[in-house]
Amino acid sequence: MNLKTILLLVAVLGAQAAWAETPVYLDESRPIEERIDDAISRMTLKEKIALLHAQSKFSAPGVPSLGIPELWTDDGPMGVRPEVLWDEWDQAGWTNDSCTAFPSLTCLAATWNPEMATLYGKSIGEEARYRNKSVLLGPGVNIYRTPLCGRNFEYFGEDPYLASAMAADYVRGVQSNGVAVCVKHFALNNNEANRYTTNSIASDRALYEIYLPAFKAAAVDAGAWSLMGGYNLVGGQHATYNQRLVNEILKGEWNWDGVVISDWGAVHDTRQAVEGGLDMEFGTGTDGLTGSGSSYDKYWLANKYYDGVRNGEFSEEQLNDKVRRVLRLTMRTAMNRNRPWGSINSPEHHQACRRIGEEGVVLLRNVDQTLPLTKDKVRKIAVIGENAIKRMTVGGGSSSLKALYEIYPLEGLQSRLGDDFELVYERGYVGDTCTHYNNVWTKQDLTDPRTPQQLTADAVKAASDADLVIFFGGLNKADHQDAEGTDRLSLDLPYGQNELIETLAEVNPNIVVVNISGTGVAMPWLNKVKAVLQAWYLGNETGNTLAGIIAGDVNPSGKLPYTYYATLDQCGAHKLGEYPGTPRHDPVEGDIIDMPYNEDIFVGYRFIDKNKLKPTFPFGYGLSYTTFDYGKATIDRKKGSADDVFTVSIPVTNIGDRQGSEVVQLYISDLKSSLPRPVKELKGFSKVNLAPGETQTVTFEIGRDALSFFDDKAHEWVVEPGKFEALVGASSADIRSRVSFEVQ
Ligand code: GLC
């Protein structure tokens, strides 16, 4: 073979090899960062800009020419939202997008069981994966600052330690499916009233000790791959592109490598968004239907940003950081060939829904052993209240779902108790008769021709003829109830429920109230009823979950993740304000509402303890059908540890006659500190399951994290030497044993 032929052969083979060789950005054997560099080197400016904003209501383009896939997102924290039209909030009318509606996140928090958080995250992540969503827009981790916040039901309650622990395992569970979470709404987004214009003003101590921990736990400890900026302003600048929150803290101090996604329509300016650390823009006003060409080009991070880079107003290096983050998110999800395949509407998910609900329902009151039901005391039951028959998986805002099914409380009772008891149902009141949300129909007609008086009379008659009344009331997903976009207008139950419960109690004192809500309500009738269950929005298995607890198949073990205030002035946000804030015209942002967090770090039980108040029910409270006895707490200093590390141990015994779980809580008191500190703070919890007569010794480790507070002057967490106390209890107001110790 002559030289020419050989050279030709070599050239052809070389070309073939080059062609056959996988480009670096697609070669999964290479480190992600190398693949990202390679992809960026192949992208045009237009392709880089396109990556940073939506192409439809819930999706963003990949890089078509390079085969980098699109990024599909979807709500929400309690289930995967049904498909909407390309540019609309309204339904796309698909017939394959029903889902499992899992319990609300306050219910998950109320389980105080990280295993439930992992189960929850894994299950909902499997459903998102099956629906080919790369980003699940949840969990929400905003702290419960006021009981009026319309979205409390989507969050984890008032305490940063509990919220952090539960959110972190939820995140791990979801992302184990190769689906990103999008932790929201970063940050200080603690009410829905004026949510687009509220300017939250909080001290660094409140920020670092109360409002950031759950975000940090999700973003840093659990490694969330994306995070959503809130609609509100923080310190005068929009949260979703906030110099302090995003650049200095999230991407600076925390060195977080994920993608900051705006809330839908939360972006209002190109320069601010670019400089303020935003990486992806979704939901901006243009709906993709109006305007020349695709109105997505009008997004703040679209043509305006493209022109800004071209004319040197914005650096390519800054742009590349955003592109890098989005490519990293894509390679962790849509381009990750090793992801599991997910599943949806499986028996396992329905079982998970029920288990989480059973572990989250809180028994608040149970006199005369009214619960669980027994046939010797009760034959005829009057089931009263709209919430016994009302669909709760539809409505409430972006967390609204098209659940595959929903077992209502009355249905659950009928199937579980119908053979042993006579059940009659009375509506009692008419509250919300809404039939659809975003074109997902409830398939219920809850209209009722009767007058309120007639409804009451019918309910009273049923109650007087029964041995027991089970009243299903509370809130629902309508505006000014548990719903996004509006706050509640008072602490009271709506629709005249308080009066109705009192009226029923007059004719039959044997009343069980099942309060279905995602947040606290006033209970002026509490001492006139025999039992109260705090039953959250429990999703598909609502009726079966509640029937199981009422019948005693399940021993309730939930504990409150927030304080049940008797009145609003027991809550710092209302007593010291401000809520909902003071209007002001800002030269840059226009008409905004300043809302200083005057209660500072004293949120929830921290405010209750400081002011020695007595709420209806304290944080961490919950009863059981059995009884637990706590022994004496002991403390040991851990040998050989450089830092001060202690172990607290306490024996807990089930002294009742049935299996049950108890959430043992550890609070730490810093008896003397250079800055004000709460009387005590939750720094550990453990849920133990005990057979009758069984004792388990629960141990807690106390290290720097449990002892330190944030010194805003020094801008660091500090542990000051001196006396501390470890308090172990069954709730924040039921300390069973305490032990003091000295920190050197
Ligand atoms: C909504 C919510 C956010 C949701 C997003 C997309 O307005 O604030 O939680 O994920 O828009 O629906």
Side-chain angles (χ1 to χ4, degrees):
M1 203 186 303
N2 65 25
L3 181 61
K4 190 162 171 287
T5 313
I6 290 170
L7 286 176
L8 191 63
L9 202 60
V10 164
V12 165
L13 287 175
Q16 263 182 341
W19 180 76
E21 193 182 295
T22 312
V24 170
Y25 74 93
L26 292 176
D27 179 350
E28 296 196 56
S29 70
R30 311 290 288 257
I32 274 197
E33 298 312 311
E34 273 181 41
R35 295 173 57 199
I36 291 170
D37 290 340
D38 182 47
I40 288 178
S41 70
R42 298 166 187 260
M43 290 167 71
T44 65
L45 176 58
K46 246 187 184 355
E47 288 171 332
K48 291 181 182 179
I49 295 290
L51 213 58
L52 306 182
H53 59 82
Q55 66 175 1
S56 75
K57 198 50 108 182
F58 283 99
S59 75
V63 189
S65 68
L66 295 178
I68 292 177
E70 298 175 336
L71 211 56
W72 281 85
T73 75
D74 209 0
D75 288 312
M78 284 99 72
V80 186
R81 184 174 190 161
E83 296 299 326
V84 297
L85 295 173
W86 187 255
D87 294 307
E88 304 292 326
W89 292 112
D90 272 356
Q91 286 303 295
W94 289 19
T95 54
N96 66 340
D97 58 354
S98 296
C99 71
T100 301
F102 295 93
S104 65
L105 292 190
T106 19
C107 175
L108 175 58
T111 69
W112 290 64
N113 185 349
E115 287 170 27
M116 290 297 109
T118 303
L119 174 65
Y120 196 128
K122 178 177 176 298
S123 305
I124 193 173
E126 285 168 347
E127 301 228 341
R129 175 69 191 96
Y130 189 84
R131 287 270 306 286
N132 278 317
K133 306 302 176 186
S134 294
V135 183
L136 180 69
L137 301 172
V141 298
N142 294 103
I143 289 294
Y144 182 117
R145 175 179 180 245
T146 162
L148 304 186
C149 174
R151 295 184 85 169
N152 281 333
F153 73 101
E154 291 189 53
Y155 305 149
F156 289 88
E158 75 185 31
D159 181 80
Y161 184 90
L162 175 64
S164 298
M166 301 304 281
D169 281 328
Y170 175 106
V171 167
R172 293 184 185 102
V174 172
Q175 298 195 155
S176 67
N177 292 284
V179 172
V181 296
C182 188
V183 193
K184 64 191 188 181
H185 306 84
F186 192 64
L188 294 173
N189 181 300
N190 302 100
N191 53 272
E192 290 299 294
N194 319 304
R195 66 172 177 162
Y196 303 107
T197 55
T198 292
N199 176 29
S200 303
I201 303 161
S203 73
D204 268 9
R205 289 204 70 204
L207 188 61
Y208 280 81
E209 292 195 16
I210 304 295
Y211 296 101
L212 287 181
F215 284 103
K216 186 172 185 189
V220 179
D221 303 348
W225 293 333
S226 80
L227 168 144
M228 186 188 293
Y231 283 124
N232 57 299
L233 295 90
V234 170
Q237 188 177 36
H238 279 276
T240 202
Y241 37 81
N242 189 288
Q243 189 55 27
R244 184 80 206 288
L245 285 182
V246 178
N247 286 341
E248 287 172 27
I249 297 174
L250 178 68
K251 296 183 175 179
E253 289 174 19
W254 299 355
N255 192 26
W256 183 68
D257 70 356
V259 174
V260 175
I261 295 177
S262 75
D263 200 337
W264 268 236
V267 184
H268 309 282
D269 177 81
T270 297
R271 162 165 292 285
Q272 287 222 45
V274 171
E275 305 290 352
L278 180 69
D279 300 309
M280 291 187 88
E281 173 185 6
F282 277 87
T284 297
T286 52
D287 62 9
L289 288 181
T290 52
S292 59
S294 150
S295 57
Y296 292 99
D297 294 339
K298 294 186 191 140
Y299 270 43
W300 299 100
L301 291 188
N303 290 356
K304 296 180 188 73
Y305 189 22
Y306 176 81
D307 297 342
V309 176
R310 289 284 299 271
N311 68 26
E313 186 185 351
F314 303 115
S315 78
E316 185 104 22
E317 182 217 347
Q318 179 183 53
L319 165 64
N320 285 345
D321 178 64
K322 300 180 196 293
V323 171
R324 176 175 302 285
R325 290 171 184 269
V326 177
L327 289 173
R328 188 177 296 129
L329 173 59
T330 307
M331 289 181 183
R332 285 168 164 167
T333 57
M335 287 177 81
N336 168 6
R337 268 187 250 270
N338 304 317
R339 290 188 295 170
W341 295 106
S343 58
I344 198 161
N345 298 323
S346 63
E348 292 77 10
H349 292 171
H350 301 152
Q351 187 51 28
C353 173
R354 184 161 176 176
R355 269 193 67 199
I356 294 158
E358 287 171 349
E359 287 229 13
V361 170
V362 184
L363 178 62
L364 292 175
R365 178 184 173 85
N366 190 22
V367 300
D368 303 343
Q369 301 308 312
T370 303
L371 290 178
L373 286 190
T374 53
K375 274 195 283 190
D376 59 352
K377 287 193 280 187
V378 173
R379 288 293 305 135
K380 188 171 182 180
I381 300 172
V383 179
I384 297 173
E386 181 173 280
N387 282 359
I389 59 168
K390 182 171 172 56
R391 181 181 291 274
M392 296 288 197
T393 54
V394 172
S398 56
S399 63
S400 176
L401 296 171
K402 180 159 79 172
L404 184 69
Y405 66 89
E406 182 175 349
I407 310 284
Y408 306 130
L410 180 60
E411 291 172 333
L413 289 182
Q414 282 162 338
S415 64
R416 175 62 186 79
L417 302 172
D419 298 342
D420 301 326
F421 300 86
E422 185 190 347
L423 299 175
V424 293
Y425 173 70
E426 272 301 336
R427 179 76 170 268
Y429 64 92
V430 172
D432 172 51
T433 58
C434 170
T435 54
H436 62 284
Y437 182 89
N438 273 160
N439 271 352
V440 174
W441 293 76
T442 61
K443 301 189 183 76
Q444 292 187 308
D445 174 3
L446 292 181
T447 54
D448 191 309
R450 291 174 287 178
T451 64
Q453 294 70 22
Q454 193 54 54
L455 284 155
T456 300
D458 294 347
V460 166
K461 173 139 184 25
S464 49
D465 295 348
D467 306 316
L468 179 80
V469 174
I470 304 181
F471 182 88
F472 286 90
L475 306 178
N476 54 44
K477 301 293 188 69
D479 283 356
H480 299 297
Q481 303 294 328
D482 279 314
E484 171 182 340
T486 58
D487 280 350
R488 283 172 52 217
L489 302 173
S490 90
L491 206 48
D492 288 334
L493 287 175
Y495 317 126
Q497 290 177 74
N498 286 343
E499 295 73 25
L500 178 57
I501 292 169
E502 306 247 2
T503 306
L504 295 172
E506 275 153 27
V507 298
N508 189 334
N510 294 323
I511 293 192
V512 176
V513 171
V514 181
N515 178 58
I516 294 179
S517 74
T519 182
V521 297
M523 296 184 175
W525 33 262
L526 183 61
N527 295 324
K528 296 188 179 120
V529 304
K530 291 285 177 68
V532 178
L533 284 171
Q534 170 57 40
W536 317 99
Y537 300 110
L538 299 170
N540 289 19
E541 289 290 319
T542 297
N544 294 332
T545 305
L546 290 172
I549 287 170
I550 289 167
D553 307 336
V554 173
N555 187 355
S557 60
K559 299 260 183 176
L560 291 177
Y562 54 72
T563 303
Y564 242 97
Y565 301 108
T567 57
L568 281 180
D569 67 7
Q570 289 191 337
C571 171
H574 297 270
K575 182 73 178 171
L576 304 180
E578 282 191 32
Y579 170 86
T582 310
R584 169 170 66 90
H585 182 80
D586 181 277
V588 174
E589 298 298 345
D591 292 332
I592 59 174
I593 301 202
D594 288 328
M595 186 169 64
Y597 286 32
N598 294 325
E599 76 282 5
D600 201 65
I601 58 174
F602 298 99
V603 175
Y605 66 89
R606 291 166 165 87
F607 188 78
I608 295 290
D609 288 347
K610 179 178 182 184
N611 298 285
K612 299 182 175 46
L613 303 173
K614 185 147 179 25
T616 309
F617 296 106
F619 171 79
Y621 178 85
L623 300 174
S624 170
Y625 291 152
T626 185
T627 314
F628 299 98
D629 183 59
Y630 288 58
K632 195 157 172 25
T634 57
I635 189 164
D636 300 304
R637 181 190 297 277
K638 220 159 173 188
K639 303 278 177 291
S641 55
D643 261 349
D644 284 296
V645 176
F646 302 87
T647 306
V648 170
S649 300
I650 185 162
V652 178
T653 306
N654 177 351
I655 58 173
D657 56 8
R658 61 169 295 166
Q659 186 91 11
S661 293
E662 171 70 336
V663 178
V664 183
Q665 299 156 44
L666 169 75
Y667 296 86
I668 297 292
S669 258
D670 184 351
L671 300 182
K672 186 172 171 306
S673 57
S674 61
L675 289 177
R677 293 195 72 180
V679 168
K680 64 178 182 294
E681 298 179 275
L682 182 75
K683 296 295 180 185
F685 61 87
S686 175
K687 189 165 196 175
V688 289
N689 187 291
L690 300 172
E694 183 185 357
T695 298
Q696 265 187 38
T697 297
V698 177
T699 57
F700 299 99
E701 180 148 305
I702 297 175
R704 277 191 66 75
D705 288 353
L707 303 169
S708 56
F709 66 90
F710 188 75
D711 179 337
D712 51 342
K713 303 274 177 309
H715 196 75
E716 60 179 0
W717 289 87
V718 296
V719 176
E720 289 179 336
K723 265 195 181 322
F724 285 78
E725 259 195 342
L727 303 92
V728 182
S731 86
S732 61
D734 181 4
I735 298 304
R736 302 291 182 87
S737 181
R738 57 180 65 210
V739 60
S740 59
F741 58 102
E742 188 91 18
V743 170
Q744 312 304 331

